[in-house]
Amino acid sequence: MAPIIPVFDGHNDTLTRVYRGGAPAESAFLHGTLAGHMDVPRAQQGGLRGGFFAIFTPPPPGSPELDQMYGVTFTAEGYIAAERSPIDPDYARSFTDANLDLAYGLAAQSQGEVRIALTVADLEASIQANTLALVLQLEGAEAIHPDLSNLEAYYERGVRSIGVVWSRPNAFGYGVPFRFPDTPNIGDGLTEAGKRLVTACNDLGILLDLAHLNEVGFFEVAALSRAPLVVTHADVHAICPSTRNLTDGQLKAIGDSGGVVGINFETNNTHPKSSFEPDVPLTQITAHINYVRDLVGIDHVAFGSDFDGADMPLTLGDVGGLPKLLTALRAEGYSSADLEKVAYRNWLRVLRETWR
């Protein structure tokens, strides 16, 4: 049997899931009970050695915005989700701070099996030691003050990646709503605070994640940023014309910048007709990887699963199924060197070029 290729994953919502589940979920994450898509034992099984562990702030319990999270109208062609409202920044800061405390607590309890990664050297060490490296990310910048006065404090707490938006507006930009079929060219671009955020993240060495950002905002970041362009979890609009997916123009801009797109495994984001049917072959994912490889090159495509944040294909299951995806790519002609690039080397290269 070929050795397991280590994987660095562009996006998961596991930290938020564990936080919302309390102490039982913390124990399950560390010791394994098959809850959700990821825990430490299954990460070991699947070869996951690191990833962006996102802190996504949902609407507060009991708020009207919580109903919007599940408001979807199905049409003859697809669906239109209710547009999300902004959330209270004070609540976002409180939620974010609690999740950061959780991440460090999990690392402390793990007896060395879980580490917070602050540098590429930390990630390389986890690959060598077969441990799990958590890169702390904010999925949506709501916790950041518009004047950026607390940005450096979050960097000091270990945040190494910030998504400008989730799929709702905030003080920095416009998150594209969920629709199919449609284009990501919906809404206004970056605010003045958003433009300052781009420059400040470049200066600090924080990776900017352009997932969920609309097309106008994407190209404004492309014009401003001195770092490679990164979308941690999205798919190809030419295959699945969802608002969340990337047009050829966006993919070419990512390639031209030396950046990376992490291909999302979510069933309805990969299916050409955005079907929510989970019983699909892994070729539904590999088609998007192949497309990006053929359009902009093997150096600019990687994994961005969305574990614990989206529905996964039954053929993959959870993080333990990552070797199946690598096997599917090998069957399509990917060399060992190509597989290593997609699995982890492309992410490490971009982080090396972005982090201070």
Side-chain angles (χ1 to χ4, degrees), residues 76-210:
E77 295 81 20
Y79 60 85
I80 299 173
E83 290 206 29
R84 275 58 166 173
S85 299
I87 61 168
D88 176 50
D90 288 334
Y91 174 74
R93 279 186 282 277
S94 174
F95 188 92
T96 297
D97 292 344
N99 275 262
L100 291 173
D101 290 342
L102 169 66
Y104 282 97
L106 291 171
Q109 295 175 59
S110 73
Q111 299 182 323
E113 292 297 311
V114 177
R115 308 176 181 188
I116 306 299
L118 304 179
T119 66
V120 174
D122 291 340
L123 297 176
E124 291 171 334
S126 278
I127 290 172
Q128 291 298 317
N130 294 335
T131 55
L132 181 61
L134 277 56
V135 176
L136 300 176
Q137 180 190 53
L138 309 188
E139 187 174 18
E142 283 88 354
I144 306 301
H145 291 301
D147 66 1
L148 310 184
S149 57
N150 62 345
L151 178 63
E152 190 162 358
Y154 275 115
Y155 179 85
E156 294 299 327
R157 289 203 68 189
V159 172
R160 290 296 182 270
S161 175
I162 295 177
V164 180
V165 294
W166 184 68
S167 285
R168 59 191 171 206
N170 64 21
F172 303 98
Y174 187 90
V176 70
F178 299 102
R179 298 177 188 172
F180 179 92
D182 212 332
T183 79
N185 188 19
I186 301 172
D188 297 327
L190 300 177
T191 65
E192 290 305 310
K195 295 173 183 177
R196 293 193 298 270
L197 179 67
V198 173
T199 299
C201 284
N202 282 175
D203 291 343
L204 278 172
I206 295 174
L207 182 139
L208 276 167
D209 178 15
L210 308 187

Side-chain angles (χ1 to χ4, degrees), residues 216-240:
V216 175
F218 175 97
F219 282 108
E220 287 180 332
V221 174
L224 288 167
S225 181
R226 306 186 306 275
L229 300 178
V230 169
V231 179
T232 60
H233 60 302
D235 292 305
V236 174
H237 191 271
I239 297 175
C240 173

Side-chain angles (χ1 to χ4, degrees), residues 180 233-248 250-251 261-264 268-272 284-293 295 301:
F180 179 92
H233 60 302
D235 292 305
V236 174
H237 191 271
I239 297 175
C240 173
S242 150
T243 53
R244 273 279 290 114
N245 287 342
L246 300 169
T247 65
D248 283 5
Q250 289 174 297
L251 292 171
V261 53
I263 293 300
N264 185 355
N268 71 296
N269 219 47
T270 52
H271 194 281
Q284 186 165 300
I285 298 172
T286 63
H288 291 261
I289 296 171
N290 294 341
Y291 189 98
V292 178
R293 177 202 59 187
L295 184 69
V301 62

